[in-house]
Amino acid sequence: MFARRIVVVGTGYVGLTTGACLASLGHRVVCSDVNAEKVAQLSRGEVRIHEPGLAELVQEGIAAGRLEFVLGSAGAVADAEVVFLCVPTPMGSGGGADLAVVESVAREVREVLPAGCVLVTKSTVPVGTSARLRELVGRPDVAVVSNPEFLREGSAVHDFLNPDRIVVGSDSQDAAERVAALYARLGAPTVLTDAASAEMVKYAANCFLATKLSYVNAIAELCERLGADITDVTEGMGYDRRIGQAFLQPGPGWGGSCLPKDTAALLQVAEAVEFDFPLLQATISANARQRERMVAKVVDACGGSLDGVRLGLLGLTFKAGTDDLRDSPALEVARLLAARGAELVAFDPGLRGDEPGLPLTLVDDPYQAAKGAAALVLLTEWQEFRTLDWARVAQELEAPVVVDTRNHLDPDALRRAGLSWRGVGRTPVG
Protein backbone atom coordinates (compact mmCIF):
# COMPACT_ATOMS: atom_id res chain seq x y z
CA MET A 1 0.00 0.00 0.00
CA PHE A 2 1.29 3.46 -0.91
CA ALA A 3 1.28 6.11 1.81
CA ARG A 4 -0.91 9.05 0.84
CA ARG A 5 -0.91 12.72 1.71
CA ILE A 6 -4.26 13.21 3.43
CA VAL A 7 -6.03 16.25 4.87
CA VAL A 8 -8.90 15.79 7.32
CA VAL A 9 -11.09 18.86 7.78
CA GLY A 10 -12.70 18.85 11.23
CA THR A 11 -11.43 17.29 14.47
CA GLY A 12 -14.60 16.09 16.21
CA TYR A 13 -15.29 12.42 17.00
CA VAL A 14 -15.24 11.39 13.35
CA GLY A 15 -12.49 13.68 12.08
CA LEU A 16 -10.00 13.10 14.87
CA THR A 17 -10.55 9.34 14.82
CA THR A 18 -10.23 9.28 11.04
CA GLY A 19 -7.03 11.31 11.05
CA ALA A 20 -5.36 9.40 13.89
CA CYS A 21 -6.29 5.99 12.51
CA LEU A 22 -5.20 6.79 8.94
CA ALA A 23 -1.88 7.99 10.34
CA SER A 24 -1.56 4.70 12.22
CA LEU A 25 -1.96 2.91 8.88
CA GLY A 26 1.13 4.72 7.57
CA HIS A 27 -0.37 7.71 5.77
CA ARG A 28 0.78 11.30 6.27
CA VAL A 29 -2.18 13.16 7.72
CA VAL A 30 -2.86 16.83 8.38
CA CYS A 31 -5.97 17.60 10.46
CA SER A 32 -7.39 21.11 10.21
CA ASP A 33 -9.86 22.91 12.43
CA VAL A 34 -11.16 26.46 12.86
CA ASN A 35 -10.68 26.44 16.64
CA ALA A 36 -7.19 27.74 17.42
CA GLU A 37 -7.22 26.56 21.04
CA LYS A 38 -8.25 23.06 19.99
CA VAL A 39 -5.52 22.93 17.34
CA ALA A 40 -2.94 23.95 19.94
CA GLN A 41 -4.15 21.30 22.39
CA LEU A 42 -4.12 18.55 19.78
CA SER A 43 -0.68 19.59 18.57
CA ARG A 44 0.52 18.92 22.12
CA GLY A 45 -1.17 15.51 22.05
CA GLU A 46 -3.96 16.61 24.40
CA VAL A 47 -7.26 14.93 23.50
CA ARG A 48 -10.38 16.13 25.31
CA ILE A 49 -12.73 13.64 23.65
CA HIS A 50 -13.63 10.65 25.84
CA GLU A 51 -12.71 7.88 23.38
CA PRO A 52 -10.65 4.84 24.43
CA GLY A 53 -7.31 4.58 22.60
CA LEU A 54 -7.67 7.85 20.71
CA ALA A 55 -5.23 9.93 22.75
CA GLU A 56 -2.56 7.24 22.41
CA LEU A 57 -2.99 7.10 18.62
CA VAL A 58 -2.77 10.88 18.35
CA GLN A 59 0.40 10.99 20.43
CA GLU A 60 1.97 8.13 18.45
CA GLY A 61 1.12 9.82 15.14
CA ILE A 62 2.65 13.13 16.24
CA ALA A 63 5.79 11.39 17.54
CA ALA A 64 6.18 9.47 14.27
CA GLY A 65 5.82 12.65 12.19
CA ARG A 66 2.76 11.28 10.37
CA LEU A 67 0.12 13.44 12.08
CA GLU A 68 -0.09 17.18 12.50
CA PHE A 69 -2.75 19.77 13.28
CA VAL A 70 -3.21 23.14 11.62
CA LEU A 71 -5.59 26.08 11.77
CA GLY A 72 -7.81 26.51 8.71
CA SER A 73 -8.28 24.26 5.72
CA ALA A 74 -7.32 26.31 2.64
CA GLY A 75 -3.59 26.26 3.35
CA ALA A 76 -3.62 22.64 4.45
CA VAL A 77 -4.90 21.16 1.19
CA ALA A 78 -2.25 22.59 -1.13
CA ASP A 79 -0.41 19.29 -1.64
CA ALA A 80 -3.13 16.84 -0.57
CA GLU A 81 -3.97 13.74 -2.55
CA VAL A 82 -7.16 13.09 -0.59
CA VAL A 83 -9.24 15.56 1.47
CA PHE A 84 -11.80 14.22 3.95
CA LEU A 85 -14.69 16.45 5.02
CA CYS A 86 -15.51 15.51 8.63
CA VAL A 87 -17.51 18.54 9.67
CA PRO A 88 -20.86 18.80 11.47
CA THR A 89 -24.11 18.17 9.60
CA PRO A 90 -26.63 18.90 12.37
CA MET A 91 -30.37 18.64 12.09
CA GLY A 92 -31.69 21.72 10.35
CA SER A 93 -35.14 23.20 9.95
CA GLY A 94 -37.73 20.60 9.06
CA GLY A 95 -35.50 17.77 10.24
CA GLY A 96 -33.14 17.70 7.26
CA ALA A 97 -29.36 17.76 7.52
CA ASP A 98 -27.83 21.25 7.59
CA LEU A 99 -25.02 21.25 5.01
CA ALA A 100 -23.89 24.84 5.62
CA VAL A 101 -20.49 23.87 7.02
CA VAL A 102 -19.85 21.22 4.34
CA GLU A 103 -20.63 23.70 1.57
CA SER A 104 -18.64 26.47 3.26
CA VAL A 105 -15.52 24.29 3.39
CA ALA A 106 -16.01 23.22 -0.23
CA ARG A 107 -16.15 26.87 -1.32
CA GLU A 108 -13.08 27.67 0.75
CA VAL A 109 -10.86 24.98 -0.75
CA ARG A 110 -12.16 24.62 -4.30
CA GLU A 111 -9.64 26.99 -5.86
CA VAL A 112 -6.64 25.56 -4.03
CA LEU A 113 -7.26 21.81 -4.36
CA PRO A 114 -4.46 20.23 -6.43
CA ALA A 115 -5.34 18.73 -9.79
CA GLY A 116 -6.16 15.06 -9.39
CA CYS A 117 -7.12 15.47 -5.72
CA VAL A 118 -10.08 13.49 -4.35
CA LEU A 119 -12.62 15.27 -2.12
CA VAL A 120 -14.30 12.80 0.25
CA THR A 121 -17.45 13.31 2.32
CA LYS A 122 -17.05 11.38 5.57
CA SER A 123 -19.77 13.35 7.35
CA THR A 124 -23.28 11.92 7.14
CA VAL A 125 -24.93 13.77 4.26
CA PRO A 126 -28.21 13.35 2.35
CA VAL A 127 -28.39 11.46 -0.91
CA GLY A 128 -27.33 13.78 -3.69
CA THR A 129 -24.72 15.71 -1.70
CA SER A 130 -21.80 14.40 -3.76
CA ALA A 131 -23.48 15.61 -6.92
CA ARG A 132 -24.12 18.96 -5.25
CA LEU A 133 -20.45 19.24 -4.23
CA ARG A 134 -19.26 18.43 -7.74
CA GLU A 135 -21.28 21.39 -9.01
CA LEU A 136 -20.14 23.60 -6.16
CA VAL A 137 -16.44 22.82 -6.60
CA GLY A 138 -16.73 23.07 -10.38
CA ARG A 139 -13.43 21.27 -10.99
CA PRO A 140 -13.51 18.37 -13.50
CA ASP A 141 -9.97 17.53 -12.34
CA VAL A 142 -11.19 16.96 -8.74
CA ALA A 143 -13.30 13.87 -8.05
CA VAL A 144 -15.90 13.73 -5.27
CA VAL A 145 -16.31 10.50 -3.30
CA SER A 146 -18.74 9.41 -0.58
CA ASN A 147 -17.13 7.30 2.17
CA PRO A 148 -19.59 7.16 5.10
CA GLU A 149 -18.36 6.38 8.60
CA PHE A 150 -19.80 3.64 10.82
CA LEU A 151 -18.18 4.56 14.12
CA ARG A 152 -19.80 4.07 17.51
CA GLU A 153 -18.89 6.58 20.19
CA GLY A 154 -16.96 4.84 22.93
CA SER A 155 -15.48 2.33 20.48
CA ALA A 156 -14.65 4.56 17.50
CA VAL A 157 -10.98 3.59 17.27
CA HIS A 158 -11.80 -0.11 17.44
CA ASP A 159 -14.56 0.29 14.84
CA PHE A 160 -12.28 2.18 12.44
CA LEU A 161 -9.50 -0.38 12.65
CA ASN A 162 -11.84 -3.40 12.68
CA PRO A 163 -14.64 -2.41 10.29
CA ASP A 164 -17.52 -4.63 9.23
CA ARG A 165 -17.23 -3.06 5.78
CA ILE A 166 -15.80 -0.14 3.85
CA VAL A 167 -18.32 1.70 1.65
CA VAL A 168 -16.99 3.96 -1.13
CA GLY A 169 -19.15 5.59 -3.77
CA SER A 170 -18.31 7.81 -6.73
CA ASP A 171 -19.10 8.35 -10.37
CA SER A 172 -15.32 8.04 -10.89
CA GLN A 173 -14.23 4.42 -10.55
CA ASP A 174 -10.58 5.42 -10.30
CA ALA A 175 -11.27 7.86 -7.44
CA ALA A 176 -13.36 5.30 -5.57
CA GLU A 177 -10.59 2.72 -5.86
CA ARG A 178 -7.98 5.23 -4.63
CA VAL A 179 -10.04 5.94 -1.51
CA ALA A 180 -10.73 2.24 -0.90
CA ALA A 181 -6.99 1.57 -1.14
CA LEU A 182 -6.39 3.79 1.90
CA TYR A 183 -7.95 1.03 4.00
CA ALA A 184 -6.25 -1.91 2.29
CA ARG A 185 -4.32 -2.98 5.40
CA LEU A 186 -7.58 -3.50 7.29
CA GLY A 187 -8.68 -6.37 5.03
CA ALA A 188 -12.38 -5.49 5.35
CA PRO A 189 -15.11 -6.26 2.80
CA THR A 190 -15.37 -3.27 0.46
CA VAL A 191 -18.49 -2.05 -1.30
CA LEU A 192 -17.67 0.05 -4.38
CA THR A 193 -20.76 1.78 -5.72
CA ASP A 194 -22.08 5.09 -7.01
CA ALA A 195 -22.14 8.13 -4.73
CA ALA A 196 -25.90 8.20 -4.18
CA SER A 197 -25.96 4.56 -3.09
CA ALA A 198 -23.05 5.07 -0.71
CA GLU A 199 -24.82 8.04 0.86
CA MET A 200 -27.99 5.97 1.19
CA VAL A 201 -26.19 3.09 2.92
CA LYS A 202 -25.52 5.19 6.04
CA TYR A 203 -29.10 6.39 6.39
CA ALA A 204 -30.57 2.97 5.62
CA ALA A 205 -28.34 1.31 8.24
CA ASN A 206 -28.97 3.84 11.02
CA CYS A 207 -32.71 3.99 10.41
CA PHE A 208 -32.89 0.19 10.48
CA LEU A 209 -31.11 0.16 13.85
CA ALA A 210 -33.48 2.80 15.21
CA THR A 211 -36.44 0.74 14.03
CA LYS A 212 -35.01 -2.36 15.71
CA LEU A 213 -34.66 -0.49 19.00
CA SER A 214 -38.17 0.96 18.86
CA TYR A 215 -39.49 -2.50 18.10
CA VAL A 216 -37.79 -4.15 21.07
CA ASN A 217 -38.99 -1.35 23.37
CA ALA A 218 -42.55 -2.04 22.22
CA ILE A 219 -42.07 -5.78 22.80
CA ALA A 220 -40.78 -4.99 26.30
CA GLU A 221 -43.98 -3.09 27.10
CA LEU A 222 -46.03 -5.97 25.77
CA CYS A 223 -44.02 -8.35 27.98
CA GLU A 224 -44.95 -6.28 31.03
CA ARG A 225 -48.63 -6.50 30.18
CA LEU A 226 -48.52 -10.23 29.46
CA GLY A 227 -46.20 -11.37 32.24
CA ALA A 228 -43.34 -12.37 29.91
CA ASP A 229 -39.64 -11.56 30.49
CA ILE A 230 -38.01 -9.40 27.80
CA THR A 231 -34.54 -10.72 28.68
CA ASP A 232 -35.54 -14.27 27.83
CA VAL A 233 -37.51 -13.12 24.80
CA THR A 234 -34.61 -11.22 23.27
CA GLU A 235 -32.21 -14.08 24.03
CA GLY A 236 -34.51 -16.40 22.12
CA MET A 237 -34.77 -13.90 19.27
CA GLY A 238 -31.06 -13.16 19.11
CA TYR A 239 -29.97 -16.71 18.41
CA ASP A 240 -31.77 -16.41 15.09
CA ARG A 241 -28.94 -15.44 12.72
CA ARG A 242 -31.36 -13.40 10.65
CA ILE A 243 -31.94 -11.15 13.68
CA GLY A 244 -28.75 -11.27 15.77
CA GLN A 245 -28.09 -10.20 19.37
CA ALA A 246 -27.17 -6.55 18.73
CA PHE A 247 -29.63 -3.71 19.36
CA LEU A 248 -32.08 -5.92 21.26
CA GLN A 249 -31.68 -4.24 24.65
CA PRO A 250 -34.71 -2.23 25.80
CA GLY A 251 -34.11 1.14 27.39
CA PRO A 252 -35.31 4.74 27.74
CA GLY A 253 -35.21 5.24 23.98
CA TRP A 254 -32.49 5.76 21.39
CA GLY A 255 -30.52 8.96 20.96
CA GLY A 256 -27.03 10.32 20.46
CA SER A 257 -25.50 12.33 17.67
CA CYS A 258 -26.61 10.05 14.81
CA LEU A 259 -29.90 8.17 15.05
CA PRO A 260 -32.24 11.11 15.82
CA LYS A 261 -30.89 13.36 13.08
CA ASP A 262 -30.51 10.55 10.54
CA THR A 263 -34.08 9.29 10.98
CA ALA A 264 -35.38 12.85 10.67
CA ALA A 265 -33.22 13.51 7.61
CA LEU A 266 -34.30 10.36 5.78
CA LEU A 267 -37.92 11.15 6.53
CA GLN A 268 -37.47 14.59 4.99
CA VAL A 269 -35.70 13.12 1.97
CA ALA A 270 -38.62 10.72 1.50
CA GLU A 271 -41.12 13.56 1.71
CA ALA A 272 -39.14 15.54 -0.88
CA VAL A 273 -39.71 12.78 -3.45
CA GLU A 274 -43.34 12.27 -2.32
CA PHE A 275 -42.64 8.89 -0.71
CA ASP A 276 -44.83 8.03 2.29
CA PHE A 277 -42.70 6.32 4.98
CA PRO A 278 -45.08 5.41 7.83
CA LEU A 279 -42.73 2.77 9.23
CA LEU A 280 -39.98 5.32 9.89
CA GLN A 281 -42.47 7.83 11.25
CA ALA A 282 -43.77 5.19 13.67
CA THR A 283 -40.20 4.43 14.74
CA ILE A 284 -39.66 8.07 15.69
CA SER A 285 -43.03 8.39 17.44
CA ALA A 286 -42.47 5.19 19.41
CA ASN A 287 -39.13 6.55 20.62
CA ALA A 288 -40.73 9.71 22.00
CA ARG A 289 -43.38 7.61 23.71
CA GLN A 290 -40.72 5.39 25.30
CA ARG A 291 -39.24 8.33 27.20
CA GLU A 292 -42.65 9.25 28.54
CA ARG A 293 -43.13 5.63 29.55
CA MET A 294 -39.94 5.71 31.65
CA VAL A 295 -41.25 8.82 33.40
CA ALA A 296 -44.52 7.01 34.12
CA LYS A 297 -42.53 4.17 35.72
CA VAL A 298 -40.81 6.63 38.05
CA VAL A 299 -44.10 8.37 38.88
CA ASP A 300 -45.65 5.02 39.77
CA ALA A 301 -42.64 4.03 41.90
CA CYS A 302 -42.99 7.30 43.84
CA GLY A 303 -46.69 6.91 44.60
CA GLY A 304 -48.27 8.90 41.79
CA SER A 305 -46.68 12.35 42.02
CA LEU A 306 -43.21 13.85 41.60
CA ASP A 307 -44.01 17.35 42.84
CA GLY A 308 -41.20 18.25 45.23
CA VAL A 309 -39.86 14.68 45.21
CA ARG A 310 -36.08 14.23 45.33
CA LEU A 311 -34.77 11.70 42.81
CA GLY A 312 -31.27 10.32 42.37
CA LEU A 313 -30.16 9.69 38.78
CA LEU A 314 -27.38 7.35 37.65
CA GLY A 315 -26.10 8.38 34.21
CA LEU A 316 -26.94 11.21 31.82
CA THR A 317 -24.82 10.60 28.69
CA PHE A 318 -26.56 8.96 25.76
CA LYS A 319 -24.52 5.77 26.26
CA ALA A 320 -21.83 4.47 28.59
CA GLY A 321 -18.22 5.13 27.67
CA THR A 322 -18.78 8.65 26.32
CA ASP A 323 -19.14 12.20 27.61
CA ASP A 324 -21.71 13.01 24.91
CA LEU A 325 -25.05 14.52 25.94
CA ARG A 326 -26.31 15.20 22.41
CA ASP A 327 -29.90 13.95 22.10
CA SER A 328 -29.34 11.79 25.16
CA PRO A 329 -32.48 9.84 26.09
CA ALA A 330 -31.24 9.86 29.69
CA LEU A 331 -31.09 13.65 29.70
CA GLU A 332 -34.49 13.91 28.03
CA VAL A 333 -36.03 11.67 30.71
CA ALA A 334 -34.36 13.89 33.33
CA ARG A 335 -35.91 16.99 31.76
CA LEU A 336 -39.33 15.35 31.74
CA LEU A 337 -38.93 14.39 35.40
CA ALA A 338 -37.95 17.96 36.26
CA ALA A 339 -41.01 19.23 34.38
CA ARG A 340 -43.13 17.05 36.67
CA GLY A 341 -41.72 18.90 39.66
CA ALA A 342 -38.97 16.51 40.73
CA GLU A 343 -35.75 17.71 42.38
CA LEU A 344 -32.93 15.88 40.57
CA VAL A 345 -29.47 14.97 41.83
CA ALA A 346 -27.32 13.05 39.34
CA PHE A 347 -24.00 11.31 38.94
CA ASP A 348 -22.33 10.37 35.65
CA PRO A 349 -18.70 9.19 35.51
CA GLY A 350 -18.27 10.69 32.05
CA LEU A 351 -19.17 14.27 32.98
CA ARG A 352 -16.85 16.90 34.42
CA GLY A 353 -19.49 18.95 36.18
CA ASP A 354 -19.19 22.10 34.04
CA GLU A 355 -21.82 21.15 31.46
CA PRO A 356 -24.26 24.07 31.02
CA GLY A 357 -28.04 24.01 31.11
CA LEU A 358 -28.65 20.78 33.04
CA PRO A 359 -31.99 20.67 34.92
CA LEU A 360 -30.36 19.11 37.97
CA THR A 361 -27.48 19.07 40.43
CA LEU A 362 -24.40 17.03 39.50
CA VAL A 363 -22.55 15.31 42.36
CA ASP A 364 -19.22 13.51 42.63
CA ASP A 365 -20.33 9.96 43.42
CA PRO A 366 -23.44 7.75 43.14
CA TYR A 367 -24.00 7.61 46.89
CA GLN A 368 -24.46 11.37 47.01
CA ALA A 369 -27.06 11.00 44.26
CA ALA A 370 -28.90 8.41 46.36
CA LYS A 371 -28.80 10.41 49.61
CA GLY A 372 -32.31 11.32 50.72
CA ALA A 373 -33.89 10.33 47.39
CA ALA A 374 -37.37 8.85 47.09
CA ALA A 375 -36.05 6.62 44.31
CA LEU A 376 -32.84 5.97 42.41
CA VAL A 377 -33.23 5.94 38.61
CA LEU A 378 -30.58 4.32 36.38
CA LEU A 379 -30.58 5.98 32.96
CA THR A 380 -27.16 5.13 31.41
CA GLU A 381 -25.55 1.70 31.54
CA TRP A 382 -22.12 2.50 32.99
CA GLN A 383 -20.45 -0.75 34.05
CA GLU A 384 -19.40 0.61 37.46
CA PHE A 385 -23.04 0.96 38.47
CA ARG A 386 -23.34 -2.83 38.58
CA THR A 387 -20.78 -3.09 41.37
CA LEU A 388 -22.08 -0.39 43.74
CA ASP A 389 -22.36 -1.16 47.44
CA TRP A 390 -26.11 -1.66 47.35
CA ALA A 391 -26.40 -2.00 51.13
CA ARG A 392 -24.90 1.47 51.40
CA VAL A 393 -27.24 2.73 48.66
CA ALA A 394 -30.20 1.37 50.65
CA GLN A 395 -29.02 3.29 53.71
CA GLU A 396 -28.73 6.53 51.75
CA LEU A 397 -32.14 6.33 50.06
CA GLU A 398 -35.25 7.70 51.72
CA ALA A 399 -37.31 4.96 50.07
CA PRO A 400 -35.79 1.61 48.96
CA VAL A 401 -36.72 1.83 45.28
CA VAL A 402 -34.51 1.55 42.16
CA VAL A 403 -35.95 2.10 38.67
CA ASP A 404 -33.58 0.50 36.15
CA THR A 405 -34.47 1.80 32.68
CA ARG A 406 -31.69 -0.28 31.07
CA ASN A 407 -32.17 -3.65 32.85
CA HIS A 408 -28.52 -3.17 33.71
CA LEU A 409 -28.47 -4.16 37.37
CA ASP A 410 -28.75 -7.54 39.12
CA PRO A 411 -32.24 -7.60 40.67
CA ASP A 412 -31.27 -10.31 43.16
CA ALA A 413 -28.31 -8.29 44.44
CA LEU A 414 -30.61 -5.34 45.06
CA ARG A 415 -33.22 -7.53 46.73
CA ARG A 416 -30.60 -8.92 49.12
CA ALA A 417 -29.69 -5.32 50.02
CA GLY A 418 -33.33 -4.64 50.89
CA LEU A 419 -34.16 -2.72 47.71
CA SER A 420 -37.08 -2.97 45.32
CA TRP A 421 -36.00 -3.24 41.65
CA ARG A 422 -38.17 -2.15 38.73
CA GLY A 423 -36.95 -2.76 35.20
CA VAL A 424 -38.26 -2.67 31.62
CA GLY A 425 -40.24 -5.61 30.27
CA ARG A 426 -39.61 -7.64 33.43
CA THR A 427 -41.45 -8.45 36.67
CA PRO A 428 -40.47 -6.17 39.58
CA VAL A 429 -38.27 -7.74 42.27
CA GLY A 430 -38.37 -6.98 46.01
Side-chain angles (χ1 to χ4, degrees):
M1 181 193 73
F2 293 104
R4 296 294 186 184
R5 299 187 303 279
I6 298 170
V7 171
V8 176
V9 181
T11 59
Y13 279 97
V14 174
L16 188 56
T17 301
T18 297
C21 288
L22 286 172
S24 77
L25 295 178
H27 302 294
R28 196 194 91 190
V29 182
V30 175
C31 293
S32 74
D33 202 282
V34 295
N35 186 317
E37 182 180 358
K38 189 176 186 182
V39 168
Q41 290 172 347
L42 290 171
S43 296
R44 296 192 298 267
E46 299 173 10
V47 175
R48 301 299 175 91
I49 295 174
H50 188 96
E51 197 63 56
L54 184 55
E56 292 82 359
L57 273 190
V58 168
Q59 292 158 11
E60 290 168 8
I62 293 172
R66 292 193 302 268
L67 181 63
E68 64 177 300
F69 298 90
V70 300
L71 185 64
S73 53
V77 305
D79 66 344
E81 296 176 76
V82 182
V83 175
F84 283 89
L85 300 183
C86 301
V87 295
T89 53
M91 189 186 301
S93 59
D98 184 345
L99 299 179
V101 180
V102 172
E103 294 182 355
S104 175
V105 173
R107 291 188 184 95
E108 182 181 354
V109 302
R110 61 187 174 188
E111 300 297 334
V112 292
L113 290 171
C117 180
V118 179
L119 185 64
V120 183
T121 55
K122 197 75 170 171
S123 305
T124 301
V125 295
V127 178
T129 300
S130 291
R132 163 69 179 146
L133 288 179
R134 280 199 307 274
E135 295 178 359
L136 188 61
V137 172
R139 294 274 303 276
D141 59 337
V142 173
V144 177
V145 170
S146 173
N147 174 218
E149 53 84 15
F150 301 97
L151 307 178
R152 299 167 297 168
E153 288 187 35
S155 58
V157 171
H158 177 273
D159 291 347
F160 191 102
L161 298 176
N162 301 273
D164 293 326
R165 76 290 203 193
I166 304 293
V167 177
V168 183
S170 178
D171 294 340
S172 167
Q173 181 74 12
D174 175 69
E177 291 176 353
R178 285 170 60 191
V179 173
L182 300 176
Y183 305 95
R185 286 181 55 185
L186 301 179
T190 300
V191 178
L192 291 177
T193 183
D194 59 272
S197 297
E199 291 162 345
M200 188 64 176
V201 167
K202 179 60 183 286
Y203 283 103
N206 275 358
C207 292
F208 178 82
L209 295 176
T211 300
K212 193 175 182 182
L213 287 170
S214 285
Y215 177 79
V216 79
N217 282 334
I219 292 296
E221 182 175 358
L222 196 56
C223 284
E224 291 177 11
R225 299 190 183 197
L226 298 176
D229 190 308
I230 188 62
T231 302
D232 294 339
V233 171
T234 54
E235 181 182 9
M237 292 170 61
Y239 283 121
D240 188 326
R241 287 172 293 183
R242 298 168 300 175
I243 298 173
Q245 298 282 357
F247 281 73
L248 285 183
Q249 292 74 39
W254 40 266
S257 61
C258 293
L259 297 189
K261 74 181 184 70
D262 289 355
T263 50
L266 187 59
L267 198 60
Q268 189 182 68
V269 167
E271 291 171 354
V273 293
E274 299 182 351
F275 175 72
D276 189 22
F277 207 156
L279 176 60
L280 186 55
Q281 184 61 67
T283 292
I284 296 169
S285 299
N287 193 52
R289 181 177 182 276
Q290 185 69 4
R291 299 173 184 188
E292 294 283 359
R293 202 167 85 80
M294 297 303 101
V295 172
K297 280 183 173 291
V298 178
V299 171
D300 181 67
C302 293
S305 174
L306 295 180
D307 192 25
V309 173
R310 182 183 177 93
L311 296 174
L313 307 182
L314 296 180
L316 291 172
T317 55
F318 91 92
K319 63 182 285 190
T322 82
D323 57 357
D324 198 345
L325 292 169
R326 287 177 294 176
D327 278 301
S328 168
L331 186 55
E332 180 59 26
V333 170
R335 289 188 173 119
L336 292 171
L337 292 171
R340 294 287 190 101
E343 176 192 344
L344 306 178
V345 181
F347 169 74
D348 190 301
L351 300 182
R352 296 180 296 273
D354 58 353
E355 292 77 11
L358 297 181
L360 45 81
T361 300
L362 274 177
V363 292
D364 295 332
D365 69 64
Y367 305 105
Q368 285 181 268
K371 187 175 180 63
L376 190 63
V377 185
L378 185 144
L379 293 170
T380 308
E381 71 286 13
W382 288 92
Q383 189 62 30
E384 47 261 60
F385 293 156
R386 290 181 58 87
T387 56
L388 293 179
D389 181 343
W390 289 107
R392 179 181 172 187
V393 171
Q395 290 176 347
E396 298 287 358
L397 285 169
E398 181 180 280
V401 179
V402 176
V403 179
D404 182 359
T405 70
R406 300 276 186 173
N407 291 346
H408 182 60
L409 306 174
D410 180 352
D412 289 333
L414 272 65
R415 176 183 54 78
R416 290 192 296 269
L419 294 165
S420 171
W421 176 89
R422 302 187 181 202
V424 181
R426 304 185 70 188
T427 303
V429 173

